[in-house]
Amino acid sequence: MRIAIDAMGGDNAPKIVVEGALAAAKEWKDVHIILVGNSAAIEAHLTERPANISIRHTEEVIEAEDEPVKAVRRKKDASMVVAGKLVREKEAEAMISAGNTGALMTTGLLVVGRIPGIERPALAPMIPTMDGNGVLALDLGANMDATPEQLLQYAIMGSIYRSKVHGISKPRVGLLNVGTEAAKGNELTKTAYPLMEQAPIHFVGNVESSQVLRAKCDVIVCDGFAGNIMLKSLEGAASTIFSALKQEFTKSIFTKLAAAVLKPGLTQFRKKLDYNEHGAAPFLGIDGLVLKSHGSSDANAIKNAVRQARIALQNDLVGTISAEISHGKRDITT
């Protein structure tokens, strides 16, 4: 299994990316990692050279502030673009990047290409839940708008991903809405609801955002505008809660003693909400496995992204989505 990693993408590249790739290469000998980027910069942090790591040298880098479409079209030798070409040309089966999200989406669309029948690929990160299993949410920002048919495709792709990558035999799929009744919502959700009822998925109906962290479903479907607002709200609330707890626990000697007693439980709770444990978010609908790691990922997050890619490749995620979408287009949406 050949996995190309954009070694120059992310806030802490290339050091953290190389460290994470090295840890993954040591653990999974059935994976060959291709580090794509400036060879001198990569080798400066490559303390060992396992047989299952190689380097593909590139001269250019897509920066966080670059305009995505222009950058992908003009910087032909950028590490992210070259990694996409490796997937397109079957020199790699997957690619991972912690770089510019818009540019990675553009690379997926313009360089790797879409799965036939997919109208718009979706960004599908895991949102942590209280039971520790998380909920796959799509779309959370790749596309601001969506049609009911696109939400249906998101639901099918998300269900397949949770089944293939996370081993859930019958993933529960929910539609993000302002109420649980079938008649609630805007025209988009009210039209999408009956399509999902007829789809080959375990549809559990509308799910309110207040229920997402309580694991009312395994997959939550929404348009990118609503989904991104939900994600940023959850991230902001979590950050605020931890900041407030830190202030309270450092007010006096007594609260510091209480914090020492509660630290193991709080650490475990924080770990549940840590994106580094999930590794990366897939762009589902691309005709090749494309994974987006958080910009501030640490080495463990990069390693976990490789783990995700490895499991997805073992279970032929892209091939299964392609076959299901082709079947669904014939039997459901026509």
Side-chain angles (χ1 to χ4, degrees):
M1 290 176 282
R2 297 165 298 178
I3 301 173
I5 301 181
D6 171 16
M8 313 307 290
D11 301 344
N12 305 305
K15 182 178 184 294
I16 291 301
V17 179
V18 173
E19 289 177 358
L22 186 58
K26 288 180 180 179
E27 181 154 344
W28 299 297
K29 301 300 183 182
D30 57 352
V31 167
H32 183 91
I33 295 174
I34 307 168
L35 289 169
V36 185
N38 183 279
S39 57
I42 292 171
E43 287 172 348
H45 302 288
L46 198 59
T47 55
E48 301 176 52
R49 192 66 178 269
N52 57 336
I53 281 187
S54 60
I55 298 173
R56 179 66 64 95
H57 177 71
T58 64
E59 294 288 344
E60 296 179 294
V61 177
I62 292 179
E63 307 291 350
E65 63 274 12
D66 284 348
E67 197 283 318
V69 177
K70 288 181 181 178
V72 171
R73 286 177 171 167
R74 294 176 181 177
K75 294 184 175 181
K76 302 292 186 182
D77 194 45
S79 53
M80 184 187 293
V81 176
V82 172
K85 289 178 181 176
L86 292 178
V87 176
R88 183 189 66 198
E89 295 165 7
K90 309 303 180 186
E91 293 183 51
E93 287 74 48
M95 71 167 288
I96 298 167
S97 177
N100 185 314
T101 302
L104 184 60
M105 180 65 173
T106 303
T107 297
L109 287 170
L110 300 184
V111 180
V112 182
R114 288 178 295 178
I115 291 174
I118 291 292
E119 294 185 22
R120 290 184 183 179
L123 179 63
M126 289 291 296
I127 294 178
T129 54
M130 294 307 298
D131 64 358
N133 294 323
V135 58
L136 186 76
L138 65 169
D139 174 33
L140 287 202
N143 312 286
M144 290 298 103
D145 299 305
T147 65
E149 291 75 20
Q150 287 162 2
L151 291 187
L152 172 61
Q153 290 189 343
Y154 297 169
I156 294 171
M157 291 192 295
S159 181
I160 293 171
Y161 185 85
R162 294 239 62 181
S163 175
K164 292 291 184 179
V165 176
H166 299 141
I168 301 174
S169 61
K170 197 177 179 182
R172 299 162 299 158
V173 180
L175 179 62
L176 183 66
N177 213 326
V178 296
T180 57
E181 300 87 352
K184 283 287 185 74
N186 55 19
E187 287 304 311
L188 173 62
T189 56
K190 286 190 285 188
T191 306
Y193 192 101
L195 294 180
M196 293 188 188
E197 281 187 308
Q198 300 167 31
I201 57 175
H202 179 32
F203 182 55
V204 295
N206 291 328
V207 174
E208 296 181 9
S209 57
S210 61
Q211 299 298 306
V212 171
L213 296 184
R214 298 180 182 180
K216 293 297 182 180
C217 57
D218 303 301
V219 178
I220 187 77
V221 176
C222 52
D223 64 87
F225 184 78
N228 199 262
I229 290 175
M230 176 184 68
L231 178 65
K232 297 295 173 57
S233 297
L234 292 174
E235 288 178 339
S239 176
T240 301
I241 289 169
F242 281 116
S243 295
L245 285 173
K246 185 176 181 180
Q247 290 178 359
E248 291 298 321
F249 282 132
T250 55
K251 279 186 174 180
S252 69
I253 184 63
F254 300 107
T255 57
K256 288 179 181 178
L257 289 172
V261 174
L262 294 172
K263 186 177 180 180
L266 290 172
T267 300
Q268 188 62 30
F269 176 63
R270 185 159 196 158
K271 188 176 180 180
K272 284 183 180 181
L273 302 179
D274 188 359
Y275 63 84
N276 285 316
E277 295 299 316
H278 296 290
F283 277 110
L284 297 179
I286 300 296
D287 197 16
L289 190 60
V290 177
L291 293 169
K292 171 67 176 74
S293 288
H294 200 284
S296 57
S297 291
D298 61 14
N300 187 51
I302 299 299
K303 178 184 175 182
N304 280 329
V306 174
R307 173 182 53 77
Q308 279 179 268
R310 179 174 176 268
I311 295 171
L313 292 173
Q314 286 175 331
N315 290 283
D316 190 25
L317 173 68
V318 174
T320 304
I321 289 175
S322 180
E324 191 63 41
I325 289 298
S326 176
H327 176 78
K329 185 178 181 182
R330 181 172 62 252
D331 291 345
I332 299 170
T333 62
T334 56

